[in-house]
Amino acid sequence: MTPGTHSRRRRKAARASRIIESDQIHPPEGVPLTLPVARTGVRFSAQILDLILTLITLIAIVIILSWLELFDDTTISAVIALLFFFIRIPYYALTELAWNGQTFGKRLLKIKVVAHDGGPLTTHAIVLRNLTKEAEVFLPATLLLTFSWLSGWQAWLAIGWIAICLLVPLRDIYARRLGDILAGTHVVHLPQPVFLPELAKSHERSEKFSPDFVFRSDQLDHYGAYELQTLETLLRVGPPILHKQRKRYANTRAIVTQKIRTKIGYAEAIPENKQEAFLRAFYAAQRKHLESKQLFGDRRADKYHAENSDGKRQ
Amino acid sequence: MSQNDDALRSARFRAEREAKWRNLEALVSQAETRSTRRMGYHDVRNLVDLYRQATTSLAIAREISLDKALLAYLEALTARAYLTVYAPQTPVGGVMWRFFSKGAPQALRRSGVLILLGVVCMGLGVLAGYLLYFENADWFYVFMPTELAGGRTPEATTGDLLDAIYSDTSVETGALGAFASYLFSHNTRIAFLVFGLGLFLCAPALILTFLNGLTLGAFLALHVERGIGWDLGGWLSIHGVTEIGAICVACAGGLKLGSAAMFPGMRSRADSLRHAGHDAAKLAIVAAFMLIVAAILEGFARQMVQDMVWRYVLGWGIGALWLSWAITTGKERIS
């Protein structure tokens, strides 16, 4: 391996870790919080939604105006350009002002503009990032639409500008466009807190939770947090409503039960009506085991934990 | 409570704090929909308090719990609460009024020298264009884009030129159409370019302003030569004072950005640009607003006011209003 590829690989790794770090904010409370950065794809989709909304408004107004005969055919393109301009300029700035950094499209996709330093969004920042949108979003879009009319050097200039507008957010760790960098903002996914019941808790159907299932400590040494949480996902999904899918779910559950039984060496066979209870009991026991291990500094990420710690010891 | 429950530490941890988290969740959604300023004192205090407790809960949960759903819930809840506590909605009311009564005139005053530079540049352009035309009338074709002249070249007769000055074009195209086509005219494009190009180290903005002056000077010289200079002055004044003012303001905005990039001083270049962006954005909005006013004047007032003297009075009167707005409003008394 040449030193060139080596340093390139290291730079790539450093970039990847910075991208992961970009989702974290550090509030004065001293506990790092997670505010995942919205990247180019979702931001582009929100832009399209906003565009559709403004275009519908535009068409409605143009139809009303033409019905009132306020302009004739010779100036229709100028009027449309003017109206579009006067709809979109205030639309973005005013919605983001009123909804604290969300346009209609951003609300639908649950993303939000935040100040890069974690403080409140200032009016200046919102106005600036939406004025630069003219040059960074609408100008390239117009250039693309009118590309066939451009002469040689104009076409090259247009390609250059479009490339810059695309590459800046794709290369930036926070997926900021130039206007975001100028205004000191970036866009995040608005986290949605979903409160789900405790799985390892006894519930109404407590007879299902019979102490039939008792696991020895050595039976619980096989799995790590990853497998535990995968099992959690399966249990949380629960049996679906549709009959056909219900069958598939029961099938999956049977396979999972079988795999766990073989892995931990649980001799007793589990009838189908007790599989759910078995998995729940196993989940609770496994979680208790792993959590108490973790309290003593033995974090087990996955089922390879034994090999990994052995490897370190050697 | 069963034996099983008591044994699982993380489940107990969760059961003890659950109510507070749900309470915080309710307060956060309340703060997001109604803004914290309209919430009661106790609610706001509780919001901040519960937020701090939730961050502690999150830190503990990351250590002791393997419940993925709980961790995800706490992560989302604390991040959401963080935004309501540290990044609340800034008051929207009176944004427009604050801008026009304070922000914009203050920015204009701060950039007074740059605006003057733009005016001087334009003035020199006019002078050069004027003098060059009298040296050789062919310069007109160099300075003037053909589509802009619209047949008003040195070949046109004096009568044609006068007709163009005192014509009523709005009848054919409709009022709105006329307004639209004037707004998207040559000068708006120039203003945009002048502002945008300022970023590239000032020079393009100054050159473009100068070139625009050359066009104007040559156009003026053509009419002066025919002895209808005053009539053209009136025709230009009614919207031109505002429009050319807008170009000068846009030029100042461009220069502001360009000079920030060239002379960042003690700041880093990016930082200096960001700082200059505050005023530059305000200047851009002022320029855009002036261009809209100019288009209204050009589209409506120029057709309605056909008298030369009144055209002068209206054009320069509005110019004086702009100036007094920029000079007098938004002064803060230092006590």
Side-chain angles (χ1 to χ4, degrees):
Chain A
M1 195 169 24
T2 61
T5 58
H6 194 75
S7 72
R8 200 178 307 148
R9 190 166 299 172
R10 203 169 343 146
R11 246 183 326 198
K12 257 189 183 167
R15 185 179 152 80
S17 77
R18 272 189 300 158
I19 284 180
I20 292 167
E21 221 167 84
S22 69
D23 290 345
Q24 299 246 308
I25 51 167
H26 298 274
E29 282 71 34
V31 181
L33 304 179
T34 314
L35 215 50
V37 171
R39 310 221 172 258
T40 318
V42 66
R43 293 185 58 177
F44 189 72
S45 316
Q47 179 63 64
I48 300 248
L49 284 175
D50 283 330
L51 208 58
I52 290 171
L53 187 76
T54 40
L55 281 178
I56 289 173
T57 319
L58 173 71
I59 290 166
I61 293 178
V62 167
I63 288 173
I64 291 171
L65 284 183
S66 65
W67 183 61
L68 292 173
E69 292 178 353
L70 271 176
F71 58 88
D72 64 10
D73 297 342
T74 52
T75 53
I76 188 158
S77 59
V79 169
I80 286 175
L82 171 89
L83 281 173
F84 189 40
F85 193 75
F86 275 97
I87 290 169
R88 74 177 185 233
I89 290 265
Y91 167 75
Y92 291 101
L94 289 183
T95 47
E96 284 191 0
L97 272 175
W99 284 331
N100 200 14
Q102 288 188 298
T103 59
F104 191 76
K106 288 197 179 80
R107 269 179 99 94
L108 278 183
L109 294 179
K110 298 193 169 62
I111 58 175
K112 180 183 189 300
V113 182
V114 293
H116 196 54
D117 59 5
L121 272 176
T122 58
T123 312
H124 166 74
I126 290 176
V127 169
L128 192 59
R129 74 183 296 286
N130 285 309
L131 282 186
T132 47
K133 189 169 257 180
E134 282 303 307
E136 258 186 288
V137 177
F138 293 111
L139 181 62
T142 323
L143 287 176
L144 269 183
L145 288 178
T146 57
F147 198 75
S148 52
W149 299 340
L150 299 179
S151 65
W153 64 272
Q154 285 173 329
W156 283 112
L157 218 60
I159 290 171
W161 182 239
I162 292 168
I164 289 174
C165 290
L166 277 177
L167 282 180
V168 167
L170 285 176
R171 290 295 304 165
D172 189 68
I173 290 178
Y174 288 92
R176 292 174 294 179
R177 51 182 182 83
L178 286 170
D180 279 320
I181 296 172
L182 262 183
T185 54
H186 69 266
V187 181
V188 295
H189 286 281
L190 201 55
Q192 307 295 317
V194 183
F195 194 78
L196 294 172
E198 174 69 82
L199 264 187
K201 199 168 155 187
S202 61
H203 43 94
E204 308 81 69
R205 296 173 292 171
S206 57
E207 72 280 352
K208 259 187 159 184
F209 222 55
S210 52
D212 301 348
F213 308 111
V214 179
F215 302 96
R216 294 190 314 275
S217 156
D218 65 294
Q219 286 180 320
L220 298 171
D221 271 337
H222 295 281
Y223 290 116
Y226 175 77
E227 289 77 23
L228 178 77
Q229 288 172 350
T230 311
L231 177 60
E232 180 190 337
T233 312
L234 178 79
L235 289 173
R236 284 207 190 279
V237 168
I241 303 154
L242 287 175
H243 183 70
K244 205 170 164 191
Q245 289 175 340
R246 204 181 265 264
K247 217 169 179 181
R248 202 193 300 158
Y249 179 80
N251 201 17
T252 313
R253 203 172 51 191
I255 294 170
V256 170
T257 312
Q258 187 54 39
K259 285 233 166 186
I260 290 175
R261 272 187 58 221
T262 346
K263 179 102 180 169
I264 68 174
Y266 193 88
E268 209 179 317
I270 315 286
E272 208 192 321
N273 59 348
K274 286 215 168 177
Q275 277 171 356
E276 172 90 18
F278 169 78
L279 288 179
R280 275 176 180 271
F282 179 70
Y283 171 79
Q286 179 73 75
R287 195 172 123 197
K288 186 182 168 193
H289 186 72
L290 285 176
E291 283 180 355
S292 65
K293 287 276 175 206
Q294 187 167 311
L295 268 185
F296 290 102
D298 183 8
R299 270 179 188 270
R300 294 176 170 182
D302 50 33
K303 61 184 176 187
Y304 303 112
H305 62 89
E307 296 160 37
N308 291 343
S309 60
D310 282 352
K312 256 178 233 160
R313 233 174 277 151
Q314 276 166 7
Chain B
M1 286 250 169
S2 72
Q3 197 65 38
N4 195 29
D5 254 347
D6 289 334
L8 204 57
R9 208 188 169 93
S10 59
R12 224 165 48 214
F13 164 81
R14 172 186 165 138
E16 280 163 13
R17 291 163 180 78
E18 222 174 82
K20 284 188 173 176
W21 299 336
R22 301 313 297 270
N23 197 356
L24 176 62
E25 201 184 324
L27 283 175
V28 165
S29 65
Q30 202 183 334
E32 276 172 356
T33 47
R34 294 200 319 165
S35 122
T36 38
R37 270 169 295 119
R38 256 175 262 156
M39 281 163 70
Y41 169 75
H42 290 285
D43 281 349
V44 176
R45 193 194 54 189
N46 284 346
L47 173 69
V48 176
D49 226 26
L50 290 172
Y51 158 66
R52 300 227 156 101
Q53 290 176 22
T55 57
T56 319
S57 298
L58 174 65
I60 297 170
R62 276 176 184 160
E63 288 307 313
I64 70 161
S65 181
L66 287 173
D67 187 347
K68 193 168 68 172
L70 176 71
L71 286 170
Y73 172 74
L74 279 178
E75 292 273 7
L77 178 66
T78 46
R80 198 79 178 238
Y82 169 85
L83 288 178
T84 57
V85 172
Y86 285 103
Q89 171 111 49
T90 43
V92 188
V95 165
M96 289 295 203
W97 171 248
R98 268 207 312 274
F99 177 75
F100 282 108
S101 69
K102 251 162 95 181
Q106 281 172 1
L108 283 170
R109 281 201 293 277
R110 274 195 294 271
S111 324
V113 177
L114 294 178
I115 296 175
L116 214 62
L117 203 61
V119 173
V120 167
C121 226
M122 177 79 79
L124 282 177
V126 171
L127 192 67
Y130 189 83
L131 294 178
L132 282 171
Y133 178 84
F134 280 111
E135 200 168 281
N136 186 346
D138 286 341
W139 280 110
F140 185 89
Y141 299 101
V142 179
F143 300 145
M144 199 75 173
T146 35
E147 74 275 7
L148 191 64
R152 293 150 83 181
T153 58
E155 284 152 26
T157 64
T158 311
D160 289 343
L161 292 178
L162 263 177
D163 276 351
I165 290 175
Y166 295 107
S167 74
D168 194 354
T169 48
S170 71
V171 180
E172 304 132 40
T173 52
L176 189 65
F179 170 62
S181 43
Y182 285 127
L183 185 63
F184 286 95
S185 66
H186 171 76
N187 284 340
T188 308
R189 240 170 291 153
I190 289 285
F192 265 96
L193 278 176
V194 158
F195 183 80
L197 291 176
L199 197 55
F200 299 100
L201 310 179
C202 299
L206 289 176
I207 292 170
L208 217 65
T209 315
F210 183 77
L211 285 179
N212 201 45
L214 280 181
T215 313
L216 195 62
F219 197 55
L220 194 63
L222 164 70
H223 288 77
V224 169
E225 194 190 43
R226 304 288 174 85
I228 50 173
W230 288 109
D231 298 275
L232 179 80
W235 184 82
L236 280 175
S237 288
I238 194 159
H239 69 284
V241 174
T242 304
E243 197 163 77
I244 286 166
I247 293 178
C248 291
V249 170
C251 175
L255 290 179
K256 190 109 196 164
L257 289 177
S259 58
M262 272 204 291
F263 313 112
M266 298 297 283
R267 295 189 172 92
S268 73
R269 273 214 165 71
D271 215 27
S272 156
L273 263 179
R274 212 168 291 150
H275 186 73
H278 275 89
D279 276 356
K282 285 184 183 130
L283 292 181
I285 295 172
V286 169
F289 183 66
M290 286 173 82
L291 283 171
I292 292 169
V293 173
I296 294 172
L297 286 173
E298 196 174 0
F300 301 105
R302 194 166 71 190
Q303 276 73 39
M304 286 191 285
V305 184
Q306 293 284 345
D307 181 58
M308 186 182 83
V309 179
W310 276 109
R311 280 179 169 180
Y312 273 105
V313 169
L314 195 62
W316 289 97
I318 289 171
L321 282 179
W322 287 119
L323 199 63
S324 66
W325 171 63
I327 290 174
T328 58
T329 25
K331 283 192 175 153
E332 270 161 48
R333 203 167 291 145
I334 302 158
S335 51

